[in-house]
Amino acid sequence: MPKDSTLSTLSAFGSISWAAERLGMSKNMFMKKRDTLEAEGFPEPDPLTTFYLKADVDAWIDHRRRVPDAPANTGTLNRTRSEVNFDAV
C-alpha cells in the first residue's frame, strides 16, 4: 500500500484518512458519519483533486467552537503620575 502523502504538513489537501484523523475518527467511522457531517456543513472533497482542502476542514472545525478565545490584553493602562508631598507627612 503506497504512503498517503496527504498526511504530510506540506500538503494543502487531505485524503479521507487525513480528514478522519483530523476529526479524531477512524476511517470507517468517518465514512459512516460523512453524510451527517456534510449536512452540518463539513466541506465536500474538491471535485478536481478528490481530496479535502485542509484549510476548509480546519475552518469548519474552528466555526464549530463553542468557547471563544479569551480576549487579548492589548490595551494600555492609563496611569497618571501622582506626586507625593513628603513634607506633609
Side-chain angles (χ1 to χ4, degrees):
M1 184 167 161
K3 180 184 171 193
D4 185 349
S5 60
T6 71
L7 297 176
S8 164
T9 57
L10 294 175
S11 177
F13 287 89
S15 64
I16 291 172
S17 296
W18 175 85
E21 279 189 40
R22 190 73 175 132
L23 296 176
M25 298 180 184
S26 68
K27 186 176 176 182
N28 288 339
M29 181 61 70
F30 177 79
M31 294 306 292
K32 287 178 186 175
K33 293 189 173 198
R34 186 172 170 180
D35 289 339
T36 304
L37 290 165
E38 288 176 356
E40 291 294 320
F42 190 80
E44 295 182 20
D46 178 77
L48 184 61
T49 65
T50 70
F51 292 126
Y52 292 94
L53 185 59
K54 290 180 178 181
D56 286 350
V57 172
D58 288 340
W60 182 82
I61 292 168
D62 289 343
H63 181 71
R64 292 193 54 83
R65 288 185 59 187
R66 294 182 182 185
V67 179
D69 288 332
N73 190 3
T74 58
T76 58
L77 293 177
N78 211 2
R79 294 187 181 191
T80 58
R81 183 178 169 158
S82 64
E83 297 287 329
V84 178
N85 184 353
F86 288 105
D87 293 329
V89 179

